[in-house]
Amino acid sequence: MTLGAHAVGRAGCPLCDAAGGRLVHEAAHYRVVHADEPGFPAFYRLVWREHVREFSDLAPEARAACMEGVTAIEACLREHLAPTKVNLATLGNVVAHLHWHVIARFDWDSHFPAPVWAAPQRERDALREAELAARLPDMELALVARLRSL
Amino acid sequence: MTLGAHAVGRAGCPLCDAAGGRLVHEAAHYRVVHADEPGFPAFYRLVWREHVREFSDLAPEARAACMEGVTAIEACLREHLAPTKVNLATLGNVVAHLHWHVIARFDWDSHFPAPVWAAPQRERDALREAELAARLPDMELALVARLRSL
């Protein structure tokens, strides 16, 4: 994907060089991608367009726009998938290009209630994962509409 | 601690019943506490005062106030401790009362670059942890001043 005339890319940064997932929506200052994370079908990321290291590097209005995007994802996940809980995180220890993880968690998922980065709590449930994945297209249609309205 | 006249407490919620850490600052809608998490001396939490489950349950102005508090913590950690990276997360799978983890991470800490919830990468460094802990009082003085100015 192209990052646009205003983007500041950093050579060798995987989130400057590639989308970082299946592109769902591209907004002025960020993109939303579906992350291919086995065991967690409803795992999305908001990737800030510019190569910025920490959340506090953003100006106040940019922070607000960023979190309204994150909130739109969370709200759509809740409305369409009724998760047990939504998890939000920006870590960036490996790829220090600002990105937010927005993850719908379910009490049947392999790690719940532990974080997705912790040790699994049980076997994966392929049937429930497939049922969940089948509901993503409708959710994403609503999400794109919501993101466009911001 | 008392939660104030406007707080909505939930019986049996550990973050309605107790501070959830050493109190650093109490603002109108949230408190900031130092978390006692072994291996991570500079681990803070912003705990929303009202018993709210998800970030998107907050009204837009409350979300903004919440994230400006989180950003103030992050900024003070960066200015005073120069961490390798700051990690922000709201999970709530176990305690579903809105709280943000704000964690200064260092390339020498026991888990870096993995999340603090993942498996450790190396032994803890007691000397560096103690040196870091010794710098927290000055950082917290600056943090309280910054939070009061919001």
Side-chain angles (χ1 to χ4, degrees), chain A residues 53-57 63 68 71 74 78 84-93 100 105 113 115 117-118, chain B residues 53-57 63 68 71 74 78 84-93 100 105 113 115 117-118:
Chain A
R53 185 174 179 83
E54 302 277 12
F55 185 63
S56 58
D57 287 328
R63 288 199 296 271
E68 288 309 284
T71 302
E74 175 177 299
R78 294 178 70 188
T84 309
K85 189 71 187 65
V86 178
N87 293 172
L88 309 178
T90 181
L91 307 176
N93 302 331
W100 280 89
R105 302 294 310 278
W117 305 280
Chain B
R53 185 173 179 83
E54 302 277 11
F55 185 63
S56 58
D57 287 328
R63 289 199 296 270
E68 288 308 284
T71 302
E74 174 177 300
R78 293 178 70 188
T84 309
K85 190 69 188 67
V86 178
N87 293 171
L88 308 178
T90 181
L91 308 176
N93 302 331
W100 280 89
R105 301 294 309 278
W117 305 281

Side-chain angles (χ1 to χ4, degrees), chain A residues 1-7 15-19 23 26-28 30-31 49:
Chain A
M1 63 179 293
T2 58
L3 286 170
H6 299 292
L15 290 177
C16 290
D17 290 345
L23 186 65
E26 189 147 19
Y30 57 79
R31 62 185 178 269
R49 184 184 290 260

Side-chain angles (χ1 to χ4, degrees), chain B residues 41-124:
Chain B
F43 192 140
Y44 291 84
R45 291 195 182 101
L46 183 150
V47 182
W48 198 251
R49 183 183 290 260
E50 191 182 358
H51 185 90
V52 164
R53 185 173 179 83
E54 302 277 11
F55 185 63
S56 58
D57 287 328
L58 297 182
E61 58 272 24
R63 289 199 296 270
C66 182
M67 294 313 294
E68 288 308 284
V70 168
T71 302
I73 305 170
E74 174 177 300
C76 279
L77 292 175
R78 293 178 70 188
E79 289 170 19
H80 289 260
L81 307 178
T84 309
K85 190 69 188 67
V86 178
N87 293 171
L88 308 178
T90 181
L91 308 176
N93 302 331
V94 176
V95 177
H97 173 136
L98 181 64
H99 60 287
W100 280 89
H101 306 283
V102 185
I103 316 163
R105 301 294 309 278
F106 296 86
D107 56 10
W108 51 260
D109 78 35
S110 55
H111 288 55
F112 197 88
V116 300
W117 305 281
Q121 306 287 309
R122 64 189 65 82
E123 295 291 310
R124 288 172 56 182

